[in-house]
Amino acid sequence: MFRCRAGLARALRPPPRGRAHAGTLLQRWNVPPDLQLSRQVASTGVPGQKGSNSVFVLIMGLSTLGAGAYVYKMIQDSKERYASRLAMAARQSQGQESSASGAAPQGTAAPVTPIKVPSHVPFLLIGGGTAAFAAARSIRARDPGARVLIVSEDPALPYMRPPLSKELWFSDDPNVTETLRFKQWNGKERSIYFQPPSFYVPVEDLPCVENGGVAVLPGKKVVHMDVRGNTVKLNDGTQISYDKCLIATGGSPRNLPAIERAGKEVQKRLTLFRKIEDFQRLEKISREVKSITIIGGGFLGSELACALGRRARTRGLEVIQLFPENGNMGKVLPEYLSNWTTEKVRREGVNVLPNAVVKSVSVCGSRLLIQLKDGRKVETDHIVAAVGLEPNVELAKSAGLEVDSDFGGFRVNAELQARSNIWVAGDAACFYDIKLGRRRVEHHDHAVVSGRLAGENMTGAAKPYWHQSMFWSDLGPNVGYEAIGLVDSSLPTVGVFAKATAKDTPKCATELSGTGIRSESETEAEASEVQISQSSSPMPQVPKQGEDYGKGVIFYLRDKVVVGIVLWNIFNRMPIARKIIKDGEEHEDLNEVAKLFNIHED
């Protein structure tokens, strides 16, 4: 009887709270057996007692499981964002760092996560060139927490264009078209990109990233602009609202009507030189064909002619340059200097044909036939058209912005404003110069200066455009010039020249300044005072016809006032030229003014 009662009592007694009970709970909660075992082994509780250690370990284990799941999810999310950023950077830079990082070669397919574009940004910059990049840096300098979005039709990150027709062609690197790195005239190496991909913030992170930043949305075009609603529409239908907007759409290379009428077969053998892919394509073509003809005698055409002329000597490539003017850069330089420049280009191995107007272009067998209006014929394998730039003003219609009928481009005031919260900079801006009147300029330094000023004004500076930007052109490492103001061969000019020395070359100029993009060292500088006085130094004389124009200063006059200056093989003197134009004074003797540039020094 006692045993029955004892057995019944044991059956009715609640189970102990020790190790066995913990195991039951673990099974009830569907905890895996291996985890159950680890908890039981870890427990030091005594069967039949409270077993508090087992419960504690159970709670800690479950907490660890939860924390592990959370960490795993965060790592996966981070990996996805990181992969998205890498994919975007690789797509933007077009393999810029592939050789250094061991990344997959260009053309390798990779999964790309769609970019989530912010619906609103405080600062929207339309265009991904030099002007937009300069504006972004200026905005961030004045407002360190600013969030800036650059929408660029170009698939690449912002880069400088001058090396595409200059230094890159003189590189000895067989992979230069992939690395896009080059040696400057001073021997220092750099990339054409302003900043590496790591400088930029991922587009999707721009609204929430701490301290703001600059993001680039590549390969997208703004096709519609609602000025009243402060919104833009992209070519994929995405809409973005903004507080302040910069239009820096740049320009597109012009074509000749005779080539446009020629048909598709001719178009396939034509390069309109402007972007990275144009350089890459032309460099490849120059290795494969026997003859290239450059149409255009301005800055770009003459630079490319000299660059390709170097290959004419080393690889047997025939390089032809033709243009309607009497000589190279005939629209800019006075006739005597233009003629000298033409002979210089010829010495570089280029067959220069001045006074040549294209009548028609056709395919003749395996080659192209260029028919000139004077009856001459030119046979070639490929054509490069370098005949100017057309400002991209397609947004003017939807935005209701004014386009200047004389100069082209968006018409803006001296503060580069088109509307109260819309600014324009770079090639597309037709601005009012308070010294020289309404202008539109298509040069690198102007893009830097106008972009920076627009960025300052977008952050409340309200500064007018008074700074005279400079531009430069190099016919190789030994001949170059810098210019400022209105430089037009139709204006009266006065040239003062002297014998050049070994240091009067672009190569030596970059060695002294420490930069290959010379405007970077001279953009901000301006002489504080210009003193013109009598000097006992020998007076520089204009060389006679046939003599070498070693170095000199050419003054361009309007109503007896200097409005433009070309420094021929004279470098690091731009602040003086800028001050002379800013003062806007008449000068009785420009020979005395020329002495300010120390051209008579040995």
Side-chain angles (χ1 to χ4, degrees):
M1 184 67 180
F2 172 80
R3 290 181 179 177
C4 292
R5 290 181 180 176
L8 181 61
R10 283 196 299 270
L12 296 176
R13 183 187 304 162
R17 298 174 60 188
R19 190 178 305 167
H21 184 56
T24 303
L25 288 175
L26 289 170
Q27 293 173 358
R28 188 180 303 167
W29 293 342
N30 296 321
V31 177
D34 56 338
L35 294 181
Q36 294 180 35
L37 178 61
S38 64
R39 267 70 179 172
Q40 293 171 18
V41 172
S43 174
T44 58
V46 179
Q49 295 185 6
K50 294 184 177 180
S52 57
N53 286 348
S54 295
V55 177
F56 174 77
V57 170
L58 172 63
I59 294 173
M60 289 300 297
L62 293 175
S63 300
T64 303
L65 281 173
Y70 176 77
V71 171
Y72 176 79
K73 184 178 184 302
M74 292 298 293
I75 290 174
Q76 289 298 106
D77 291 345
S78 297
K79 286 174 65 178
E80 290 179 4
R81 288 196 300 269
Y82 183 66
S84 175
R85 183 173 182 178
L86 283 181
M88 181 184 69
R91 185 172 66 255
Q92 290 171 332
S93 61
Q94 297 185 318
Q96 175 189 5
E97 298 179 344
S98 60
S99 59
S101 62
Q106 279 186 312
T108 301
V112 178
T113 304
I115 299 174
K116 184 178 180 181
V117 180
S119 60
H120 176 82
V121 291
F123 295 96
L124 176 65
L125 313 185
I126 304 175
T130 300
F133 181 78
R137 293 189 66 169
S138 181
I139 291 170
R140 292 277 297 167
R142 289 175 54 87
D143 182 1
R147 305 180 192 277
V148 183
L149 176 63
I150 298 175
V151 178
S152 175
E153 191 175 355
D154 200 309
L157 293 171
Y159 59 90
M160 59 188 81
R161 298 189 191 276
L164 296 178
S165 59
K166 296 183 177 71
E167 293 93 338
L168 283 173
W169 289 97
F170 291 84
S171 173
D172 295 325
D173 182 3
N175 299 316
V176 66
T177 55
E178 297 177 8
T179 64
L180 296 175
R181 297 188 64 85
F182 62 95
K183 283 187 177 180
Q184 303 168 152
W185 301 143
N186 61 6
K188 295 181 179 179
E189 187 177 276
R190 71 179 296 174
S191 168
I192 70 167
Y193 293 96
F194 290 114
Q195 292 290 346
S198 57
F199 171 83
Y200 302 95
V201 173
V203 173
E204 58 269 28
D205 293 347
L206 185 62
C208 56
V209 68
E210 187 177 2
N211 298 324
V214 179
V216 179
L217 181 61
K220 300 295 182 182
K221 183 178 181 179
V222 175
V223 296
H224 186 273
M225 192 170 188
D226 180 0
V227 173
R228 291 186 177 182
N230 291 343
T231 60
V232 299
K233 183 179 180 181
L234 308 186
N235 54 347
D236 63 359
T238 302
Q239 291 194 356
I240 305 172
S241 63
Y242 59 85
D243 295 329
K244 296 179 180 180
C245 179
L246 171 71
I247 300 175
T249 47
S252 300
R254 292 192 181 103
N255 197 357
L256 291 175
I259 298 178
E260 291 177 340
R261 296 192 301 265
K264 292 183 179 180
E265 289 303 314
V266 172
Q267 303 292 335
K268 291 178 181 178
R269 306 185 194 183
L270 169 70
T271 295
L272 299 176
F273 198 90
R274 177 68 173 168
K275 300 179 179 180
I276 288 176
E277 51 264 38
D278 301 325
F279 162 71
Q280 293 170 328
R281 178 170 180 256
L282 185 59
E283 201 277 341
K284 182 175 183 293
I285 289 171
S286 70
R287 298 174 181 271
E288 300 171 344
V289 302
K290 295 181 178 179
S291 173
I292 294 178
T293 296
I294 300 168
I295 302 177
F299 307 107
L300 179 60
S302 299
E303 289 171 0
L304 286 175
C306 287
L308 289 170
R310 179 171 176 258
R311 299 194 171 184
R313 297 193 301 269
T314 59
R315 301 179 187 172
L317 175 68
E318 180 189 36
V319 180
I320 304 168
Q321 184 186 17
L322 57 89
F323 44 79
E325 295 80 28
N326 294 330
N328 285 77
M329 293 180 283
K331 293 182 178 181
V332 175
L333 301 176
E335 185 176 2
Y336 61 88
L337 198 53
S338 173
N339 292 337
W340 184 92
T341 303
T342 301
E343 293 305 315
K344 164 65 178 174
V345 176
R346 282 176 174 151
R347 290 196 296 270
E348 294 293 323
V350 181
N351 180 14
V352 182
L353 303 178
N355 303 303
V357 179
V358 177
K359 180 181 180 181
S360 64
V361 181
S362 59
V363 177
C364 182
S366 61
R367 310 198 76 191
L368 296 176
L369 177 64
I370 303 173
Q371 180 77 46
L372 304 180
K373 285 190 176 181
D374 61 5
R376 288 180 290 175
K377 297 180 180 179
V378 176
E379 287 191 5
T380 191
D381 298 317
H382 192 80
I383 294 175
V384 180
V387 292
L389 204 66
E390 193 69 33
N392 294 327
V393 293
E394 294 91 343
L395 287 176
K397 185 174 182 180
S398 62
L401 302 178
E402 183 180 2
V403 175
D404 191 89
S405 58
D406 295 325
F407 300 98
F410 295 96
R411 194 177 177 93
V412 295
N413 61 17
E415 289 79 31
L416 304 182
Q417 269 185 306
R419 290 289 187 274
S420 60
N421 64 337
I422 299 175
W423 288 258
V424 187
D427 300 337
C430 181
F431 61 97
Y432 181 77
D433 187 318
I434 59 178
K435 280 293 179 183
L436 301 178
R438 189 154 292 280
R439 305 173 62 196
R440 192 176 68 81
V441 180
E442 298 175 358
H443 295 291
H444 174 86
D445 187 57
H446 169 69
V448 174
V449 173
S450 62
R452 183 177 60 242
L453 177 64
E456 291 176 352
N457 289 341
M458 291 172 77
T459 52
K463 294 165 61 175
Y465 189 101
W466 60 266
H467 177 88
Q468 289 299 323
S469 61
M470 58 89 73
F471 62 93
W472 79 100
S473 182
D474 295 335
L475 304 178
N478 298 319
V479 176
Y481 67 86
E482 298 177 352
I484 191 170
L486 296 179
V487 180
D488 188 332
S489 60
S490 64
L491 294 172
T493 62
V494 174
V496 184
F497 291 83
K499 186 177 180 179
T501 67
K503 66 180 182 180
D504 298 317
T505 65
K507 184 176 184 296
C508 289
T510 56
E511 289 173 349
L512 290 174
S513 66
T515 175
I517 305 299
R518 294 198 294 276
S519 61
E520 291 179 354
S521 62
E522 300 186 359
T523 291
E524 298 288 353
E526 177 186 320
S528 58
E529 186 176 0
V530 172
Q531 289 281 352
I532 302 175
S533 59
Q534 296 297 325
S535 171
S536 59
S537 301
M539 180 176 294
Q541 300 293 328
V542 177
K544 296 179 182 179
Q545 187 67 30
E547 291 184 356
D548 186 30
Y549 296 97
K551 63 178 177 179
V553 184
I554 302 99
F555 300 98
Y556 293 74
L557 306 176
R558 187 172 65 185
D559 300 328
K560 299 181 180 181
V561 174
V562 176
V563 294
I565 297 175
V566 166
L567 302 181
W568 184 263
N569 271 345
I570 295 176
F571 308 99
N572 303 314
R573 296 287 188 274
M574 194 51 63
I576 299 172
R578 185 173 287 119
K579 185 68 167 62
I580 291 171
I581 293 179
K582 184 179 180 182
D583 289 347
E585 299 175 353
E586 290 188 28
H587 300 284
E588 293 183 3
D589 190 352
L590 289 174
N591 285 299
E592 292 297 327
V593 179
K595 294 178 182 179
L596 295 171
F597 298 92
N598 298 326
I599 68 172
H600 54 274
E601 289 185 352
D602 294 331

